[in-house]
Amino acid sequence: MRLDTAQLLKRFFFCERSLVVSEASWIPAIASLDVKIGLARFIWQSAETADALRNRVFELRFPSRLLEEQGADNALIQLFSAVKDSPSVPAFLIGVGKVLLPALRDSYRAYMESSDSIADGPTHRFLSLALSEKKEQISTFEKWGNDALEQNSELREGALNWAQAIANRLLEVGGVGVGPASPAAGGGRLPGSKTYVVPERPARDPRFWACRFYWPDVVDPNYPYGEGVQLQLRSAISHLNEVWAIEVGGVMLSAFADVLPWEWIHNAARWTYDESRHCRMGYERLMAWGFDIAEIPLGTYIYDSASGEDPIYCLGMLFFFETKNIKHKPARAKLFHTYGDTLSEHDMDFDWADETMHAGYGKHWLKELLAARGEDPAAYDQVRERCEKLVRDYVGTATGHEVADIKKVADALLVKAEQVLKVGSDIPPARLPAR
Ligand SMILES: [Fe+2]
Ligand SMILES: [Fe+2]
């Protein structure tokens, strides 16, 4: 019936919402670049599903104030939120991938089978997409979990125990399912849980050349951003190093999930996903040009600059860098066109469209956050200014060794770039629509 349907969709909404928050918070703690990029995409998928669920609940004339609380599903939602306190990376990946995602997949499938595709057609459309996304998420998490266990075999037992603890609790609280909510209480902390803390420094993929400052111009104002091949390379390195924006996006999404309204999570998930696409653009361009991963610098300085600060400066950092760099992008896209580098041009053009939207998100949510804290929303520009100072101060800690090292790495890349980039670079067929 209409209200029971709304009750179930509301349950799914809260499950997806909790998954988004937990997954986002783990992005900086996981080293693998593929996992960071993949998680950003999955939180966006979950946020889109959650948003569609939420809108559908409103359409069903469910009393809207009831969407502000988890109600009878409280114990279940507490469990979905508890994976944020996973004891390790493999434990997190296995707990989500082996227990929570399959539970949601099965519930979506059961819902589709037992609900009316005529009366409830609008739900069927987006839930069938969510179901197919869940299947992909599960198989991807399985691979990530296995890789993480292989690399950290000493964590195996703890991770498997953790997944079992989640499965046991899920059973106690009646599963996700499509039945009435279980009267079970939450049951407190899960055995083996470890309170989540935002990592002080971001985990980095060991395949890259690890550093704090990823290009000489960051630490040396006299080092040119460059033109021609130098600009093509610099731009790809910049895109790859937007990994900081994925991490900071995840941290801020989760930090303000309970302070700001749902639209915050929805926007922040999209924002984080967009940054992951920019990062991947750079990564794939560098790979297409034939560079060796081990010679590509992957830095941490922007994440580090906001580390330990009030998370409003995470939001501020994104806003600061979006608004600082956006004006250069259309001009660079044009230059790439003149070089015959259609791939860089194409990436920069799409990037610009995303960043324009993000600058709007930044201003809007900084103001909302300040207002929610009882402060003057007009002070958003002061947050931006402090971010500029935090970065400047942090860059000031660069050592002579670091500056010399990054120059050596950049010079070697430039020599190689001169050889491979002269001929321009076409968009690979895999990234274009089929004709
Ligand atoms: Fe970006
Ligand atoms: Fe952005």
Side-chain angles (χ1 to χ4, degrees), residues 298-370:
L298 195 59
T300 57
Y301 82 100
I302 304 177
Y303 185 100
D304 297 340
S305 299
S307 176
E309 298 287 330
D310 176 340
I312 196 171
Y313 295 108
C314 286
L315 175 53
M317 279 303 167
L318 276 166
F319 182 57
F320 167 53
F321 279 95
E322 314 274 13
T323 45
K324 173 175 166 284
N325 294 331
I326 200 164
K327 57 183 180 291
H328 302 298
K329 297 194 176 195
R332 283 180 191 151
K334 269 192 201 134
L335 278 175
F336 294 141
H337 183 81
T338 65
Y339 305 157
D341 181 354
T342 49
L343 179 54
S344 295
E345 180 194 2
H346 159 98
D347 283 352
M348 192 57 84
D349 199 30
F350 276 86
D351 166 294
W352 175 81
D354 293 333
E355 303 300 26
T356 306
M357 189 165 76
H358 299 169
Y361 286 167
K363 187 169 169 183
H364 173 74
W365 289 113
L366 273 173
K367 286 169 128 177
E368 290 288 320
L369 184 58
L370 288 165

Side-chain angles (χ1 to χ4, degrees), residues 238-239 242 244-245 271 274-279 318 322 329 351 354-355 358:
S238 268
H239 268 151
E242 285 192 31
W244 75 268
W271 197 346
D274 290 348
E275 301 307 350
S276 80
R277 290 188 297 110
H278 303 161
C279 171
L318 276 166
E322 314 274 13
K329 297 194 176 195
D351 166 294
D354 293 333
E355 303 300 26
H358 299 169

Side-chain angles (χ1 to χ4, degrees), residues 164-233:
Q164 192 58 54
I166 298 176
N168 293 344
R169 180 65 59 82
L170 185 62
L171 211 60
E172 279 166 36
V173 302
V176 181
V178 288
S182 153
R189 283 176 74 84
L190 285 171
S193 71
K194 194 172 137 201
T195 303
Y196 173 83
V197 278
V198 177
E200 199 180 313
R201 304 212 58 214
R204 276 287 174 272
D205 198 317
R207 295 173 304 158
F208 292 87
W209 190 76
C211 56
R212 293 197 297 163
F213 308 99
Y214 60 79
W215 205 246
D217 55 18
V218 174
V219 283
D220 177 358
N222 297 318
Y223 193 96
Y225 206 89
E227 282 184 8
V229 166
Q230 194 172 357
L231 181 63
Q232 289 167 276
L233 177 64

Side-chain angles (χ1 to χ4, degrees), residues 32-345:
S32 158
L33 188 72
D34 294 330
V35 179
K36 286 183 202 281
I37 290 174
L39 272 178
R41 179 160 158 266
F42 291 164
I43 66 170
W44 168 68
Q45 291 176 343
S46 275
E48 287 296 315
T49 301
D51 196 58
L53 285 161
R54 189 171 176 275
N55 289 334
R56 184 71 184 131
V57 172
F58 286 135
E59 285 176 11
L60 292 168
R61 306 266 188 275
F62 197 66
S64 63
R65 67 191 157 76
L66 290 184
L67 251 171
E68 285 155 22
E69 53 191 54
Q70 300 150 16
D73 295 314
N74 198 25
L76 174 70
I77 307 309
Q78 268 184 33
L79 173 61
F80 268 76
S81 300
V83 288
K84 189 175 170 185
D85 294 330
S86 295
S88 68
V89 168
F92 166 74
L93 294 172
I94 292 172
V96 173
K98 288 258 188 229
V99 187
L100 298 185
L101 290 175
L104 268 181
R105 173 201 58 200
D106 296 347
S107 307
Y108 290 173
R109 192 182 282 142
Y111 182 96
M112 301 282 284
E113 283 165 7
S114 56
S115 61
D116 178 356
S117 66
I118 301 170
D120 198 17
T123 306
H124 275 240
R125 181 177 178 277
F126 70 78
L127 216 56
S128 64
L129 172 61
L131 177 59
S132 69
E133 287 174 343
K134 284 287 162 282
K135 291 176 189 164
E136 187 206 345
Q137 291 170 12
I138 290 165
S139 62
T140 309
F141 263 83
E142 183 165 5
K143 185 189 171 306
W144 291 344
N146 290 341
D147 290 350
L149 280 182
E150 245 171 57
Q151 288 152 17
N152 306 277
S153 53
E154 75 285 1
L155 298 174
R156 173 178 291 272
E157 202 184 324
L160 297 179
N161 288 342
W162 174 249
Q164 192 58 54
I166 298 176
N168 293 344
R169 180 65 59 82
L170 185 62
L171 211 60
E172 279 166 36
V173 302
V176 181
V178 288
S182 153
R189 283 176 74 84
L190 285 171
S193 71
K194 194 172 137 201
T195 303
Y196 173 83
V197 278
V198 177
E200 199 180 313
R201 304 212 58 214
R204 276 287 174 272
D205 198 317
R207 295 173 304 158
F208 292 87
W209 190 76
C211 56
R212 293 197 297 163
F213 308 99
Y214 60 79
W215 205 246
D217 55 18
V218 174
V219 283
D220 177 358
N222 297 318
Y223 193 96
Y225 206 89
E227 282 184 8
V229 166
Q230 194 172 357
L231 181 63
Q232 289 167 276
L233 177 64
R234 179 64 179 91
S235 167
I237 295 279
S238 268
H239 268 151
L240 169 72
N241 273 277
E242 285 192 31
V243 64
W244 75 268
I246 316 175
E247 295 164 333
V248 164
V251 170
M252 70 180 190
L253 183 155
S254 130
F256 304 124
D258 295 329
V259 181
L260 293 170
W262 160 251
E263 288 75 13
W264 158 252
I265 299 183
H266 189 216
N267 284 174
R270 171 63 197 268
W271 197 346
T272 305
Y273 169 53
D274 290 348
E275 301 307 350
S276 80
R277 290 188 297 110
H278 303 161
C279 171
R280 192 170 162 197
M281 284 171 178
Y283 176 60
E284 305 243 337
R285 283 214 298 290
L286 291 162
M287 293 300 102
W289 291 335
F291 289 106
D292 175 4
I293 294 190
E295 58 191 7
I296 298 173
L298 195 59
T300 57
Y301 82 100
I302 304 177
Y303 185 100
D304 297 340
S305 299
S307 176
E309 298 287 330
D310 176 340
I312 196 171
Y313 295 108
C314 286
L315 175 53
M317 279 303 167
L318 276 166
F319 182 57
F320 167 53
F321 279 95
E322 314 274 13
T323 45
K324 173 175 166 284
N325 294 331
I326 200 164
K327 57 183 180 291
H328 302 298
K329 297 194 176 195
R332 283 180 191 151
K334 269 192 201 134
L335 278 175
F336 294 141
H337 183 81
T338 65
Y339 305 157
D341 181 354
T342 49
L343 179 54
S344 295
E345 180 194 2

